[in-house]
Amino acid sequence: GAVVSQHPSRVICKSGTSVKIECRSLDFQATTMFWYRQFPKQSLMLMATSNEGSKATYEQGVEKDKFLINHASLTLSTLTVTSAHPEDSSFYICSARDSRGRETQYFGPGTRLLVL
Amino acid sequence: RKEVEQDPGPFNVPEGATVAFNCTYSNSASQSFFWYRQDCRKEPKLLMSVYSSGNEDGRFTAQLNRASQYISLLIRDSKLSDSATYLCVVRSADKLIFGTGTRLQVFP
């Protein structure tokens, strides 16, 4: 089946630093990718929708200047958490929609971020 | 009110038991419905789509009642490997909306 990778799988950083997370679709092209965040014992919350070649669409309450999204190619989207703080510690998961199929959405393995 | 509501559980059942999970959604214009499974510290994985006519995949049966905005998942003959969190997911306005999940623990 379709595979989506994320890198890194886990990151620990100091407060104030920026962290970049990569999401790649390995065997298909993804015009649209989605970034989610999941806090412990909570549901996945959509942060933003990333569209190749255009600006991302952010959900209400998500700061676009803090969570920078770049979707420069049909197989790669990046999320940069700028000036990370302890409250940004979470499980970040991306998903990619196969350009050939409208509904099929594949999830990456997630990135666990811990900000000290 | 949350867009997708589920009983968080946990449901603790013995092997071989039948267990049912329920979910309600608030947006009557929702287009598609799914059950996902999420293991601890892992990404969610699609278990099955849910249709109004009901659908079955082995030991798993899913039902959708659009009038009541209610979705269910039935697991028969529970296995230890079924232990996980089951997420009710609704597609609305081209976005996936996740429930908090229902935790299932199957014991020997």
Side-chain angles (χ1 to χ4, degrees), chain B residues 15-36:
Chain B
E15 274 187 290
T18 295
V19 62
F21 303 139
N22 303 318
C23 166
T24 57
Y25 60 96
S26 60
N27 186 351
S28 59
S30 298
Q31 303 132 332
S32 310
F33 309 88
F34 311 91
W35 283 101
Y36 276 72

Side-chain angles (χ1 to χ4, degrees), chain A residues 38 43 59 97 103 108 112, chain B residues 32 38 43 91 95 99:
Chain A
Q38 186 178 32
S43 59
E59 295 301 301
R97 179 183 291 163
E103 287 213 348
R112 200 159 294 279
Chain B
S32 310
Q38 186 174 26
E43 78 277 21
R91 185 187 299 278
K95 299 175 187 175

